[in-house]
């Protein structure tokens, strides 16, 4: 079945694709990435959502099955990368939580709270923005490397990073005041 035969690509065509390919795509994710069933379903659902969102820009004659497998493969890889970033962050946080008191005068409990709020603020970023932020901040990738990895333009990376930092500053502004005050007290 090619998408070209379904143009205009509609909900019934998507439903038919879903019925035909959902289970095999889940099995593919479980085998390829070692996902449990819920993780596999998440990757496949993400793939179908992206297919629906990009339906108008799909080249005529493209195999729906091949396109779906590519989208789901990319979604699976994104999930693996995100998990790696989360693990690096957990290691970073756990290394820094073992200090009884930081130089800024925060106690361990305050650091845990701040860390939890930072994690929450990052988790609330839109998916692409969060991925770009994490690749830059946690993996230390340059904007050109991120653009290459995600198949987007460097300008998109720059814009998404700028927006992410603005959102995080707004969300965590009250902590900035506390840190500034704690530093001033120590001088």
């Amino acid at each position: 079945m090619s998408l070209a035969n379904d143009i205009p690509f509609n909900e019934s065509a998507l439903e038919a694709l879903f019925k035909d390919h959902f289970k095999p795509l889940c099995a593919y994710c479980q085998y390829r990435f070692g996902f449990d069933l819920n993780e596999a379903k998440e990757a496949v659902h993400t793939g179908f959502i992206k297919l629906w969102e990009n339906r108008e820009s799909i080249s005529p004659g493209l195999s729906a099955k091949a396109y779906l497998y590519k989208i789901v493969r990319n979604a699976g890889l994104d999930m693996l990368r995100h998990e790696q970033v989360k693990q690096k962050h957990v290691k970073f946080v756990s290394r820094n939580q073992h200090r009884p008191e930081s130089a800024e005068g925060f106690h361990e409990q305050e650091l845990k709270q701040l860390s939890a709020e930072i994690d929450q603020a990052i988790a609330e970023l839109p998916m692409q923005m969060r991925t770009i932020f994490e690749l830059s901040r946690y993996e230390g990738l340059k904007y050109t490397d991120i653009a290459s990895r995600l198949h987007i333009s460097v300008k998109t990376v720059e814009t998404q990073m700028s927006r992410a930092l603005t959102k995080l500053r707004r969300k965590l502004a009250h902590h900035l005041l506390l840190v500034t005050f704690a530093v001033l007290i120590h001088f």
Side-chain angles (χ1 to χ4, degrees), residues 82 86 89 115-127 129-131 133-134 138 168 171:
H82 183 66
K86 285 179 9 184
H89 180 67
S115 178
E117 288 187 37
I118 290 170
D119 290 344
Q120 180 65 34
I122 292 170
E124 290 174 359
L125 294 173
M127 183 195 275
M129 188 180 294
R130 182 179 64 235
T131 301
F133 178 83
E134 290 171 341
Y138 297 140
L168 293 174
K171 185 84 174 173

Side-chain angles (χ1 to χ4, degrees), residues 159-176:
T159 301
Q160 291 295 306
M161 273 301 293
S162 174
R163 290 178 181 167
L165 293 171
T166 299
K167 287 179 182 237
L168 293 174
R169 268 193 295 272
R170 284 186 192 140
K171 185 84 174 173
L172 303 168
H174 61 283
H175 286 293
L176 182 58

Side-chain angles (χ1 to χ4, degrees), residues 146-159:
I146 295 169
S148 175
R149 184 183 283 189
L150 299 179
H151 307 291
I152 56 177
S153 72
V154 175
K155 187 66 177 167
T156 299
V157 173
E158 291 171 356
T159 301

Side-chain angles (χ1 to χ4, degrees), residues 1-10 13 55-62:
M1 166 187 244
S2 76
L3 294 174
N5 297 337
D6 299 324
I7 295 180
F9 191 64
N10 56 34
R55 69 189 180 279
E56 294 176 3
S57 63
I58 296 172
S59 301
L62 186 65

